[in-house]
Amino acid sequence: MIRVVETSATSPEDALAVLHRSLDARLRPEGAAGLVLTALAGRLRRRERVVLGRAAVAARRWGGWTSMSMDFARPVGGARQVAATARLFDVTTSHVGVDNPASLLEFAAMVGSAIGAAPDQLDFLRDRLNREARAAAGVEVPKRQYNRQFRALQRLAAKAERLNGEQDKRRLTLTARAGFVADISLERFRADPDAGCFVAYYTARRKVRRQFTLAGRNNPYDEVADMLFRRCVANPSTDWPMVALAYAPPDVVGRLTDAERGTLLGRWSAVMRATADRLARVWAVSHFDRATMVVRKGDDSSTWNLLCGAYNSARAGWLSCLAASGATAALDVECPGKAMMLIAADLAAWHRTTGGLHPDVGVSTRLPLPWDVLAGRGRCTRADVEAACAEAGVDPEKGGWTAPRAPGAVAVFTPTPELVHGVSVVDPMWALVLRTAGVFSGKPTRASATAVVAEGVPAQVVASDLPSRPISDGQSGSM
């Protein structure tokens, strides 16, 4: 459903609180700009207000309506499984954290002890007690009741495992898009409003969805981010370690103490290695074509690309810390390459019409798999990467293979587009119609989708029937 985007705040304190909450969500940059205007009210120069105002006004397009989610998908907790288990065992659940996998397993262990079951021993054929074993364990409930309780524990333990996995995925998504900003406390955020506003706006830009295009991703560091960053530079008491959690080019990391740089380097290295382990497990059970990385039917591209995004972001942060610390000699010993994302077949075909796939794919195929390098199963040094780049016609430093990428030109602010599977459309209601119809999804479209605009259409947006075109059998089909 289309919903109103609420970014209003009545005071600087309220605006900072909303901006802080956005670190763990997906606020549009124009909404963040409006909040920054309020958060820094009375402290901005005229030019700064003009720059922010040009961006903030875009939040009022279409009366503030959007079809885009303002958050990353949040895993559903185990409340339903906990309630069902509590009913069967006749226990209270006030102490159970339904969104905490560890708490779910503790609850399963506690109630499971009443029937001689443990969360890691719930195979229905192997671990379920027979009549004699139940009698020996003092389990006095009838067999049918015992079986129902056993199955409830199975479902609870399985939910805890799924929940843990989904929470890990969400953490990796935020790390890939925004670094470690989810760890910033509200108190720390409020203590340095200039740095907090820069972090919130810049990460909002990084979280904007990718469009279906050959032009590559827009530079998230735009004119608004640059203006806010310059305020941080001008402030002698800026909390640079907080800024580096979101934005960590060498010149920012160089402002940290040795201990702070070492801590950040260790965090990026840990994420890179942990994500590489997960990539290795997915790679082992997949059948990706490494020469093209074009997605094929049956490939789990969502999981793979999520892991690649987190790994590559961590690798970029790791390289930046090495460069700022003057420790790039470490790359002479070990320089794991990038992880290549899967690409849609239609986008790959589009690439071929303009000269071929991205040259990074050619570099990657000439190197050992990065997760093998990090696990000690392969060897890759800076010299190996430079040789592979030379063969593929790629500059190893400018391409981010052996050095952090140089900052690009400051981008001009552009409003967040309404996207349907990466395709920009005219307005939020039209986007909702097309998305509901299944347009651009690669699946058959549903002509009845226009029913979603039968009522409640805002006056500020455009709504019309789905466009159609003739097809070979003389009928018409939705575009």
Side-chain angles (χ1 to χ4, degrees):
M1 293 293 293
I2 288 182
R3 57 193 179 85
V4 173
V5 182
E6 180 57 66
T7 57
S8 61
T10 58
S11 68
E13 292 74 19
D14 290 343
L16 285 172
V18 178
L19 285 169
H20 177 263
R21 289 198 296 272
S22 77
L23 300 181
D24 188 42
R26 201 172 202 167
L27 184 65
R28 296 186 305 172
E30 49 264 47
L35 288 165
V36 171
L37 274 172
T38 302
L40 301 181
R43 303 173 54 187
L44 296 167
R45 294 188 293 272
R46 182 177 181 279
R47 179 186 172 278
E48 294 171 335
R49 290 197 302 272
V50 170
V51 171
L52 281 166
R54 281 201 302 261
V57 73
R60 298 198 293 271
R61 291 175 302 162
W62 310 302
W65 288 70
T66 181
S67 68
M68 311 296 285
S69 172
M70 302 299 287
D71 199 0
F72 295 99
R74 294 183 183 271
V76 178
R80 184 170 60 84
Q81 290 80 4
V82 167
T85 303
R87 284 195 301 271
L88 287 170
F89 284 89
D90 194 22
V91 295
T92 61
T93 61
S94 57
H95 62 288
V96 182
V98 295
D99 295 321
N100 185 340
S103 182
L104 296 182
L105 291 177
E106 290 174 1
F107 177 62
M110 182 192 73
V111 297
S113 62
I115 60 171
D120 58 345
Q121 296 176 337
L122 292 173
D123 184 275
F124 197 74
L125 296 178
R126 184 183 64 246
D127 299 320
R128 188 167 47 104
L129 302 180
N130 58 24
R131 180 184 301 174
E132 292 76 17
R134 291 200 299 274
V139 179
E140 299 178 353
V141 297
K143 176 182 177 180
R144 184 176 180 182
Q145 177 72 358
Y146 170 81
N147 287 343
R148 292 179 66 194
Q149 292 175 334
F150 195 92
R151 287 193 174 94
L153 291 174
Q154 282 183 314
R155 290 189 285 271
L156 184 59
K159 178 61 179 181
E161 182 177 359
R162 290 195 307 274
L163 181 59
N164 186 62
E166 292 303 311
Q167 289 179 345
D168 280 346
K169 285 184 178 180
R170 193 175 190 279
R171 280 192 292 269
L172 287 175
T173 299
L174 286 171
T175 301
R177 299 297 188 90
F180 300 115
V181 296
D183 298 337
I184 299 174
S185 68
L186 178 58
E187 292 72 25
R188 184 179 187 182
F189 190 86
R190 279 177 166 164
D192 189 346
D194 286 332
C197 287
F198 168 77
V199 167
Y201 180 82
Y202 177 71
T203 54
R205 284 277 296 178
R206 288 190 62 186
K207 294 171 187 173
V208 172
R209 295 165 181 80
R210 300 192 68 166
Q211 287 186 248
F212 191 81
T213 175
L214 297 183
R217 192 174 184 87
N218 291 332
N219 185 4
Y221 190 90
D222 66 0
E223 55 191 330
V224 179
D226 185 60
M227 180 273 291
L228 294 172
F229 183 75
R230 290 177 185 276
R231 288 181 60 85
C232 295
V233 173
N235 184 355
S237 59
T238 291
D239 186 349
W240 289 110
M242 180 172 72
V243 173
L245 294 177
Y247 180 62
D251 64 319
V252 170
V253 180
R255 297 172 184 269
L256 310 184
T257 66
D258 290 343
E260 291 166 344
R261 278 197 299 273
T263 299
L264 188 60
L265 175 65
R267 293 189 70 176
W268 282 125
S269 179
V271 172
M272 184 170 68
R273 292 179 181 277
T275 310
D277 287 342
R278 297 186 66 166
L279 282 166
R281 292 196 293 271
V282 176
W283 183 267
V285 298
S286 303
H287 304 283
F288 304 147
D289 182 356
R290 192 181 181 196
T292 65
M293 292 306 289
V294 174
V295 66
R296 295 178 293 188
K297 186 176 182 179
D299 292 342
D300 185 359
S301 59
S302 296
T303 297
W304 179 259
N305 288 348
L306 163 64
L307 294 174
C308 285
Y311 169 84
N312 289 332
S313 290
R315 182 182 182 276
W318 174 72
L319 282 175
S320 185
C321 289
L322 289 179
S325 304
T328 54
L331 302 177
D332 296 335
V333 178
E334 182 178 84
C335 184
K338 301 179 189 179
M340 294 295 104
M341 293 188 178
L342 289 170
I343 183 173
D346 48 359
L347 185 57
W350 192 9
H351 271 289
R352 291 191 185 96
T353 65
T354 60
L357 295 176
H358 196 287
D360 275 359
V361 177
V363 178
S364 176
T365 57
R366 292 173 168 84
L367 297 173
L369 294 167
W371 41 92
D372 285 344
V373 174
L374 289 168
R377 297 186 295 267
R379 185 172 184 272
C380 185
T381 65
R382 173 158 45 192
D384 296 325
V385 175
E386 289 173 344
C389 287
E391 293 178 17
V394 174
D395 187 309
E397 293 189 0
K398 291 182 179 178
W401 284 92
T402 60
R405 285 184 180 273
V410 176
V412 176
F413 170 81
T414 53
T416 306
E418 295 289 323
L419 299 178
V420 180
H421 297 287
V423 179
S424 179
V425 297
V426 65
D427 68 33
M429 183 55 72
W430 190 226
L432 181 60
V433 171
L434 294 178
R435 189 179 298 112
T436 305
V439 177
F440 309 131
S441 68
K443 301 176 182 179
T445 58
R446 298 180 293 278
S448 62
T450 49
V452 300
V453 297
E455 55 185 53
V457 181
Q460 297 87 350
V461 301
V462 179
S464 64
D465 293 335
L466 288 176
S468 61
R469 59 177 173 81
I471 56 178
S472 57
D473 62 2
Q475 299 175 348
S476 63
S478 300
M479 295 178 65

